[in-house]
Amino acid sequence: MAKSGRIERRTDALSKERIIGAAVEILDSGGESGLTFRALAARLATGSGAIYWHVKDKDELLATATEEVIDRVMREAIQEADPRKAIRAVALGLFDAIDAHPWAGAQLSRAPWQPAVGRIFESIGGHLDALDVPDRALFDAASALVHYILGAAAQNAANARLAPHDTDRTEFLSAMIERWTAPDPAGFPFLHRIAARFQDHDDREQFLAGIDLILAGVGATR
Amino acid sequence: MAKSGRIERRTDALSKERIIGAAVEILDSGGESGLTFRALAARLATGSGAIYWHVKDKDELLATATEEVIDRVMREAIQEADPRKAIRAVALGLFDAIDAHPWAGAQLSRAPWQPAVGRIFESIGGHLDALDVPDRALFDAASALVHYILGAAAQNAANARLAPHDTDRTEFLSAMIERWTAPDPAGFPFLHRIAARFQDHDDREQFLAGIDLILAGVGATR
DNA sequence: ACCTGAACACCGTTCAAGT
DNA sequence: ACCTGAACACCGTTCAAGT
């Protein structure tokens, strides 16, 4: 990766890879607010200014860390013969990755021009193509899926961060409906109607149901 | 709104409403990074500490500003007899609002437990109900639509912020595909295939196409 | 009750100085 | 070439002091 072919001076030398690795660890354990140049420098046993030799600024730090994490999922993506299954697998892989790294979900929605979004687009689009989606509808369908996947995953991850541990998930969701409807008890017939389902739903399953809905729509409009 | 029924001492007194109004103005003109307590205090001709008397912290500031902006759209929502048209109208209203206030889109994805999300859910769900979606599918369909709307709108708004003015939109999108595919020219057959469409597509139309795709899926799985 | 503004404990980023 | 760490120009938030 270095310009010259010379050997490294010492094995523990700073490098962009090591910096990003440490950044991912800090982001995972301390969230977005935990990632500071001081904390990163401390973990790498260096000065904060040293990081700037390898990384332009905090934005690049966050963007590269996100690339790292998404790259991992996209590489691991299980090969599925059936295009629908393949799309579901990619979607679920991204959902789980963003659930594990909520900061990556926020970053992708904030900067959807990131290369990772291009790779996701390519993967989803390629599978849709194999599904014989007509040329005219192909781009719209891929775009809808990518927007849905990234949006739903980011929102879910944010929600999951807020919720206490799973024991009282039902209670937590019930309180959410209550807070939403309390200002106008008669104004939320729909929310009251689905309240029971809301409290007990599984985020992952519902996410997949959304994927299936879009895929059904793709099939229906063919 | 005040606890006592007494008249206000002076018309220019600080209030949560005035603070939020100023915050929205700053956010719209200077973006999320422009909103600081110092800037807000300066615009309101007061000390930064005064704001804390009316607002808990910066998070509440951002959340309340978002409520304000979303409330506006949801109130203005044109009454449509046809449920599909109504859903499209609500979706498009939100898309435009988030396009005009990108910070609100980011906030909604970051904090989807906000009351505004409950109101959006209620509106979309109510219209789906009128569409005779079976009970079992109702919640999943509403959830998919809300996640898609908020996700797509946030991602679009972020993108729109980055792009230069419309003159060279085609050029901008073309450069994006180029950046995405350059690292591996043979690895992106799908992106190359849709490149022409990508450069010329309209974000608003494509957003609506996604809504229609989900609605078609809802109809197909009935 | 409400406002003022200095003070505190942080940030990201720069840069002269070192090796 | 790469690293150090103090310095700078900011932040959000608190709080004694005012009215």
Side-chain angles (χ1 to χ4, degrees):
Chain A
M1 200 68 70
K3 266 258 174 77
S4 79
R6 308 196 144 277
I7 47 160
E8 309 298 324
R9 260 186 298 266
R10 33 173 200 161
T11 41
D12 67 331
L14 225 47
S15 69
K16 188 158 178 181
E17 290 79 50
R18 275 194 68 218
I19 292 171
I20 299 304
V24 168
E25 285 173 27
I26 292 177
L27 285 163
D28 283 345
S29 62
E32 221 157 324
S33 68
L35 182 67
T36 68
F37 278 83
R38 281 165 180 83
L40 193 52
R43 176 174 289 241
L44 292 164
T46 183
S48 59
I51 297 165
Y52 283 91
W53 186 263
H54 301 272
V55 158
K56 188 178 166 283
D57 54 17
K58 193 165 184 184
D59 204 63
E60 184 180 315
L61 208 52
L62 220 36
T64 313
T66 301
E67 292 294 316
E68 233 285 292
V69 153
I70 298 301
D71 219 24
R72 223 138 61 190
V73 213
M74 296 305 283
R75 253 199 315 267
E76 284 170 4
I78 308 120
Q79 288 305 66
E80 289 277 0
D82 178 39
R84 284 169 208 274
K85 281 190 186 167
I87 289 172
R88 290 168 55 114
V90 171
L92 211 51
L94 286 166
F95 183 88
D96 289 339
I98 290 174
D99 193 49
H101 314 285
W103 48 270
Q107 170 65 19
L108 288 170
S109 285
R110 191 189 304 137
W113 52 84
Q114 281 206 191
V117 176
R119 293 196 302 273
I120 295 168
F121 226 107
E122 176 66 33
S123 169
I124 297 289
H127 293 306
L128 276 176
D129 196 12
L131 211 53
D132 283 330
V133 175
D135 210 70
R136 257 205 66 241
L138 199 54
F139 177 37
D140 285 349
S143 162
L145 277 167
V146 172
H147 280 133
Y148 171 75
I149 291 170
L150 297 183
Q155 290 161 55
N156 172 80
N159 249 326
R161 275 264 140 150
L162 183 75
H165 284 95
D166 10 45
T167 345
D168 32 0
R169 173 181 158 90
T170 306
E171 200 183 323
F172 170 75
L173 292 177
S174 157
M176 194 155 131
I177 288 262
E178 174 59 24
R179 263 199 322 279
W180 280 354
T181 60
D184 181 8
F188 295 89
F190 174 75
L191 289 186
H192 282 124
R193 191 135 111 67
I194 60 156
R197 267 188 236 286
F198 190 83
Q199 291 161 36
D200 293 328
H201 83 282
D202 181 277
D203 289 327
R204 233 161 152 264
E205 271 174 30
Q206 190 170 64
F207 170 74
L208 269 188
I211 297 284
D212 288 342
L213 220 44
I214 299 178
L215 287 177
V218 171
T221 51
R222 190 163 20 170
Chain B
M1 203 63 76
K3 267 256 175 74
S4 79
R6 311 197 140 277
I7 47 160
E8 308 298 327
R9 262 187 297 267
R10 34 173 200 159
T11 40
D12 67 331
L14 225 47
S15 68
K16 188 160 178 180
E17 290 79 49
R18 276 193 68 220
I19 292 171
I20 299 305
V24 169
E25 285 174 26
I26 292 177
L27 285 163
D28 283 346
S29 61
E32 222 156 323
S33 68
L35 182 67
T36 69
F37 278 83
R38 281 165 180 82
L40 192 52
R43 176 173 290 239
L44 293 164
T46 184
S48 59
I51 296 165
Y52 283 90
W53 185 263
H54 301 272
V55 159
K56 188 178 167 282
D57 54 16
K58 192 165 183 184
D59 204 63
E60 184 180 316
L61 208 54
L62 220 36
T64 313
T66 301
E67 292 293 317
E68 233 285 291
V69 154
I70 299 300
D71 220 23
R72 223 137 62 190
V73 214
M74 297 305 282
R75 254 198 315 269
E76 284 169 2
I78 309 119
Q79 289 305 64
E80 288 277 0
D82 177 41
R84 285 170 208 272
K85 281 190 185 167
I87 289 172
R88 290 168 54 114
V90 171
L92 211 50
L94 286 166
F95 183 88
D96 289 339
I98 290 173
D99 194 49
H101 314 284
W103 47 271
Q107 170 66 18
L108 288 170
S109 285
R110 191 189 305 138
W113 51 84
Q114 283 208 189
V117 176
R119 293 196 301 275
I120 294 168
F121 227 107
E122 176 67 32
S123 169
I124 297 289
H127 292 307
L128 276 176
D129 196 11
L131 211 54
D132 283 329
V133 175
D135 211 69
R136 256 204 67 241
L138 199 53
F139 177 37
D140 285 349
S143 162
L145 276 168
V146 173
H147 280 134
Y148 171 75
I149 292 170
L150 297 183
Q155 290 160 54
N156 173 79
N159 248 327
R161 275 265 141 152
L162 183 75
H165 284 93
D166 10 45
T167 346
D168 32 359
R169 174 180 158 90
T170 306
E171 199 182 325
F172 169 74
L173 292 177
S174 157
M176 193 156 132
I177 288 263
E178 174 60 25
R179 264 199 321 279
W180 280 354
T181 60
D184 181 9
F188 295 88
F190 174 75
L191 289 185
H192 282 124
R193 192 135 109 67
I194 60 155
R197 267 187 237 286
F198 190 85
Q199 291 161 35
D200 293 328
H201 83 284
D202 181 277
D203 289 326
R204 233 161 152 262
E205 271 175 31
Q206 190 170 64
F207 170 74
L208 269 187
I211 296 285
D212 288 342
L213 219 45
I214 299 178
L215 287 176
V218 171
T221 51
R222 190 159 26 167

